[in-house]
Amino acid sequence: MPIARLLRSVACPSHLRGLPHASSDQFGRIQAAAWLAARQSSTAARNTLAGKNIFQLRAAVETAEAATQQHGQQQQQPEIVPLPTSDESETLLRIRHSCAHIMAMAVQRLHKDAQVTIGPWIERGFYYDFDLATPLSDKELKAIRKEMQKIMRMNLPFIREELSPEEAEARIKAAGEPYKLEILESIRARDPTAPITIYHIGETDHPAHWWDLCAGPHVESTGAIKPDAFELESVAGAYWRGDEKNAMLQRIYGTAWESAAQLASYQALKAEAARRDHRKLGAELDLFSIQESAGGGLVFWHPRGAIVRHHIETFWKELHLARGYDLVYSPHIAKVDLWKTSGHFDFYAENMYDQMQVEHEEYQLKPMNCPFHVAMYKDGYFSYRDLPKRWAELGTVYRYERSGTMHGLFRVRGFTQDDAHIFCLPEQIEPEIRGVLDLVQEVLSAFGFTQYEVNLSTRPEKHVGEPEIWDVAEDALRNALGAKGWNYVVDEGGGAFYGPKIDIKIQDAIGRKWQCSTIQLDFNLPQRFDMTYVDANAAKQRPIMIHRAIFGSMERFFGILVENYAGAFPLWLAPVQARLLPVNDAVVPYVQEVAAKMRAAGVRVEVLERASIAKMIRNAERAKTPVMAVVGAKEAEAGSLAVRLYGGSDLGALPADDVIGRIVEANKSRGSDF
């Protein structure tokens, strides 16, 4: 299908019927465009649409909608509005960092008592922390933004100055900035030879002159930032240096772009992200809760969320068994000695809970599953012929998180990792990594994730293990990625001290990237636990250990799924797949008979009664039920169901057995289509 025709097919709501995720609103049409692009044989269609986020696709759909109203006029090419992160654009990094400085300058012009601390760029914006006596309000943000626009219109230059630590200290003390003095001291303690630089906004003799201790980089002048291309977003509390023992500061978040069009697109992205927020949808759809009375960061899975999790876990287990893994289970606590041997007690203590006394011995809630799998390995005796061993576990772990850092399902204190560990020979590293990459793709694509960002992190300066085994391992990772045909970025020296790793980010329906899968080689634990196998010469050798997770954690992945689907799970995964809506009491026996057949076939079904049809349909739509079936006397007599799909598509009367068969087929194929 030509690209123009493909776009026009989703510009008209009448063309949407039967497409997954399609609905009459624009986001539904955009998702339909992405679905179509992925399935067209046209390379142009795939290249134009596939991999674009929902706001980039929006521009294409809007162009197509305009074209449908201009018959005979030449089709315009869709204009894509990119939304790069600071890592992806040096220009935006400079703009955002400079905006942080301009904001600090504006705050101190408006609040003479304000003390400045740090103001970095972040992924799509910036922030600055202030010590202020009075709380900042939304009204204050408007005033600060207006002051920033004044500074931008002054077109003051950013001027870099390098100076001695002594001179920097004198200037900071004269300015009365104790936080900056502490930052200077930390720089000198970390590296006494590090250059000390400050950035001026404006010449020193300019009435508006302002300066800050900073390493840069910045734009050439304040005029390089467009006054209509940035926004101040929110105010939050933040402890100085992230320590609750220190002063509570006020943090202002902002975003900045090269153009007003980018800002508008980003704001639309934020609004759509808010609509998809898994915390809001989790409550509305009755999927899960976090009961503060029981403790923060502890997830309660409600029946609807639990059944979705059950099907995710069942899929995960069955696939792992089919791919040569063995399932294992391990305890939730262990003697603290195990964590001392593994090194977690010394190097990970701040993320672990306090020990508990059990019969005069200290036990520890587990923050990791890996030492337990190592203990199981140590319980056996293996020769080189027995390897590889692939052990997988959905293991719940507990890690301490400060109350201010927790966020819905994305950051919790108790969570279940989809953990697996592979124990293998050095020459088995590459085929095992290739198998893991294939499994990662098979699992993630089942949930609709087909766009990945891959990073390979290599040997750092300080490391354990011989250089030769690092070379073998890194070559194996590179070769496996090459065989997969995936593009990847190398982070030279960015690996953990105990082994190189591969990190995989997925891209969701609105273009956000999420870190999920990790493949980590480990030369440390086999050494600390003295793990061995017997080689062909009857000599003991050290096995290679590979840590591997695909989802990362069930909780976080579930939150990603909720937001990716906007709560409308695909048919195979939906908590309730079908709702039967009887028109009157006379057809209830038939409806119950159909429901019983559905349950026997493995279909998740609910029967709604005692309400008007309009209300029952409205409630089913709110619950985002994929299949709704209205049943009146006519349907009961014919043995049929009047089927309506989520999003408004009306399929009319279908035989009940046909409806059941379609849902059963979706369950088998893990599909979205009815």
Side-chain angles (χ1 to χ4, degrees):
M1 181 185 293
I3 186 64
R5 194 171 138 216
L6 184 151
L7 288 168
R8 284 198 297 274
S9 73
V10 295
C12 297
S14 61
H15 294 170
L16 292 171
R17 186 168 294 172
L19 295 182
H21 309 298
S23 62
S24 58
D25 67 12
Q26 194 178 67
F27 279 101
R29 299 200 296 282
I30 294 163
Q31 286 184 303
W35 183 88
L36 275 171
R39 283 157 177 76
Q40 296 307 313
S41 58
S42 163
T43 301
R46 285 197 303 271
N47 290 346
T48 302
L49 292 183
K52 300 294 187 294
N53 70 44
I54 203 163
F55 292 95
Q56 294 168 331
L57 285 168
R58 183 177 67 175
V61 171
E62 286 174 343
T63 300
E65 287 173 332
T68 62
Q69 300 169 9
Q70 300 174 13
H71 298 291
Q73 293 189 16
Q74 187 175 1
Q75 173 69 37
Q76 296 179 357
Q77 288 298 316
E79 180 184 353
I80 302 301
V81 180
L83 297 175
T85 65
S86 297
D87 288 341
E88 295 167 342
S89 169
E90 173 74 15
T91 299
L92 280 173
L93 183 152
R94 289 173 179 270
I95 286 173
R96 289 161 182 163
H97 192 195
S98 300
C99 264
H101 277 228
I102 293 170
M103 180 172 70
M105 178 179 174
V107 168
Q108 290 198 313
R109 283 164 66 94
L110 295 172
H111 299 268
K112 303 303 181 185
D113 64 332
Q115 292 182 326
V116 292
T117 61
I118 57 170
W121 68 85
I122 51 180
E123 187 176 51
R124 285 188 167 91
F126 58 92
Y127 71 80
Y128 214 111
D129 290 348
F130 302 95
D131 192 341
L132 266 169
T134 55
L136 292 169
S137 63
D138 289 341
K139 185 178 178 180
E140 285 291 327
L141 288 189
K142 290 178 183 177
I144 294 167
R145 184 176 186 274
K146 190 174 180 180
E147 190 68 21
M148 290 174 68
Q149 290 174 323
K150 287 181 184 177
I151 296 168
M152 291 172 186
R153 292 189 181 102
M154 291 180 192
N155 197 24
L156 302 172
F158 276 87
I159 303 169
R160 180 181 183 274
E161 179 187 3
E162 186 169 336
L163 65 171
S164 69
E166 294 75 20
E167 175 63 20
E169 181 178 346
R171 291 196 201 178
I172 292 170
K173 285 181 176 178
E177 296 285 3
Y179 295 100
K180 289 296 180 184
L181 189 61
E182 190 174 329
I183 292 170
L184 175 65
E185 290 169 352
S186 66
I187 294 171
R188 297 174 70 179
R190 186 171 62 248
D191 182 2
T193 64
I196 305 300
T197 58
I198 62 175
Y199 271 83
H200 301 267
I201 295 180
E203 299 288 349
T204 54
D205 58 353
H206 192 282
H209 171 258
W210 186 88
W211 62 271
D212 196 1
L213 180 70
C214 179
H218 289 284
V219 295
E220 290 296 318
S221 70
T222 60
I225 302 170
K226 295 183 179 178
D228 61 352
F230 82 98
E231 189 59 80
L232 300 186
E233 298 180 293
S234 62
V235 181
Y239 290 110
W240 170 236
R241 294 194 177 276
D243 189 340
E244 60 264 31
K245 296 175 184 176
N246 291 336
M248 171 63 79
L249 307 173
Q250 295 187 68
R251 175 174 295 177
I252 302 177
Y253 284 100
T255 187
W257 300 90
E258 291 185 71
S259 67
Q262 279 186 321
L263 175 61
S265 189
Y266 167 75
Q267 288 172 329
L269 173 64
K270 273 196 71 179
E272 179 61 14
R275 186 180 76 85
R276 293 166 176 261
D277 191 315
H278 73 280
R279 296 167 297 177
K280 177 176 74 76
L281 290 172
E284 291 175 1
L285 301 175
D286 195 22
L287 300 173
F288 68 90
S289 63
I290 295 175
Q291 305 286 340
E292 293 302 328
S293 60
L298 303 173
V299 182
F300 288 72
W301 293 84
H302 296 200
R304 292 182 189 280
I307 193 64
V308 177
R309 173 172 171 165
H310 165 74
H311 285 284
I312 295 171
E313 290 184 345
T314 299
F315 164 61
W316 186 91
K317 289 177 182 178
E318 289 176 351
L319 189 58
H320 278 73
L321 290 171
R323 298 294 175 266
Y325 285 76
D326 293 313
L327 300 181
V328 297
Y329 295 91
S330 60
H332 289 234
I333 63 172
K335 288 182 181 179
V336 74
D337 294 345
L338 181 71
W339 308 106
K340 290 180 178 179
T341 302
S342 70
H344 290 97
F345 187 81
D346 294 322
F347 303 113
Y348 203 71
E350 64 182 20
N351 299 105
M352 296 165 66
Y353 286 97
D354 290 341
Q355 295 74 48
M356 63 187 83
Q357 292 290 325
V358 180
E359 295 180 346
H360 309 295
E361 291 187 293
E362 287 189 322
Y363 280 72
Q364 176 76 58
L365 275 171
K366 68 173 176 179
M368 305 276 188
N369 295 305
C370 36
F372 290 83
H373 293 194
V374 171
M376 292 183 207
Y377 182 96
K378 289 278 291 179
D379 198 44
Y381 178 85
F382 302 102
S383 81
Y384 69 98
R385 293 189 182 91
D386 299 316
L387 302 182
K389 289 291 181 186
R390 308 182 192 99
W391 292 345
E393 176 181 13
L394 292 168
T396 301
V397 299
Y398 305 90
R399 298 179 187 173
Y400 172 67
E401 297 284 355
R402 291 192 178 103
S403 57
T405 64
M406 292 181 291
H407 179 79
L409 297 179
F410 291 158
R411 196 157 183 178
V412 293
R413 286 173 171 162
F415 55 94
T416 300
Q417 291 183 307
D418 67 316
D419 236 343
H421 295 95
I422 300 170
F423 306 103
C424 65
L425 310 176
E427 59 268 27
Q428 293 172 332
I429 296 175
E430 184 175 333
E432 287 304 309
I433 297 298
R434 291 173 71 167
V436 171
L437 292 175
D438 287 342
L439 186 58
V440 166
Q441 184 176 28
E442 191 171 5
V443 170
L444 295 179
S445 63
F447 299 94
F449 299 116
T450 57
Q451 300 292 324
Y452 312 125
E453 180 182 294
V454 184
N455 290 279
L456 169 63
S457 301
T458 60
R459 178 172 57 208
E461 185 177 346
K462 294 181 179 179
H463 60 273
V464 297
E466 296 301 320
E468 293 77 17
I469 193 61
W470 274 86
D471 291 341
V472 169
E474 289 176 5
D475 287 345
L477 296 182
R478 284 191 175 91
N479 292 341
L481 287 169
K484 195 68 185 164
W486 286 354
N487 294 325
Y488 63 93
V489 175
V490 178
D491 180 10
E492 294 289 356
F497 75 92
Y498 49 84
K501 68 172 180 173
I502 294 171
D503 289 314
I504 299 172
K505 293 181 180 178
I506 58 175
Q507 180 173 298
D508 71 7
I510 59 174
R512 296 173 300 179
K513 293 176 182 176
W514 302 91
Q515 172 63 52
C516 281
S517 307
T518 299
I519 306 164
Q520 171 76 64
L521 271 73
D522 189 343
F523 311 132
N524 182 48
L525 285 187
Q527 180 177 319
R528 293 184 75 100
F529 281 91
D530 192 27
M531 299 172 67
T532 62
Y533 68 90
V534 177
D535 68 12
N537 299 315
K540 288 187 176 182
Q541 302 293 343
R542 195 81 69 206
I544 300 297
M545 182 176 183
I546 303 172
H547 303 256
R548 187 240 69 188
I550 299 176
F551 298 143
S553 81
M554 291 300 302
E555 287 74 8
R556 187 168 181 273
F557 190 72
F558 186 84
I560 293 169
L561 287 181
V562 170
E563 298 200 2
N564 181 66
Y565 301 136
F569 288 94
L571 184 53
W572 77 276
L573 206 52
V576 177
Q577 296 174 303
R579 282 194 175 190
L580 306 183
L581 316 176
V583 170
N584 54 47
D585 291 344
V587 299
V588 168
Y590 169 70
V591 168
Q592 294 293 0
E593 179 185 332
V594 173
K597 277 187 178 181
M598 285 185 165
R599 293 187 184 103
V603 175
R604 301 182 290 284
V605 60
E606 283 185 353
V607 177
L608 297 189
E609 300 180 57
R610 299 181 184 88
S612 69
I613 283 297
K615 185 175 181 180
M616 287 192 290
I617 291 175
R618 188 164 60 249
N619 289 341
E621 284 279 350
R622 285 175 179 167
K624 304 182 187 292
T625 308
V627 179
M628 293 157 268
V630 177
V631 182
K634 190 165 134 184
E635 286 78 23
E637 185 179 345
S640 64
L641 300 170
V643 175
R644 175 189 176 94
L645 302 183
Y646 174 70
S649 296
D650 190 346
L651 303 187
L654 298 173
D657 288 343
D658 185 21
V659 173
I660 295 171
R662 291 190 187 196
I663 299 175
V664 168
E665 180 55 36
N667 288 343
K668 287 180 181 176
S669 63
R670 296 186 179 86
S672 302
D673 301 348
F674 173 72

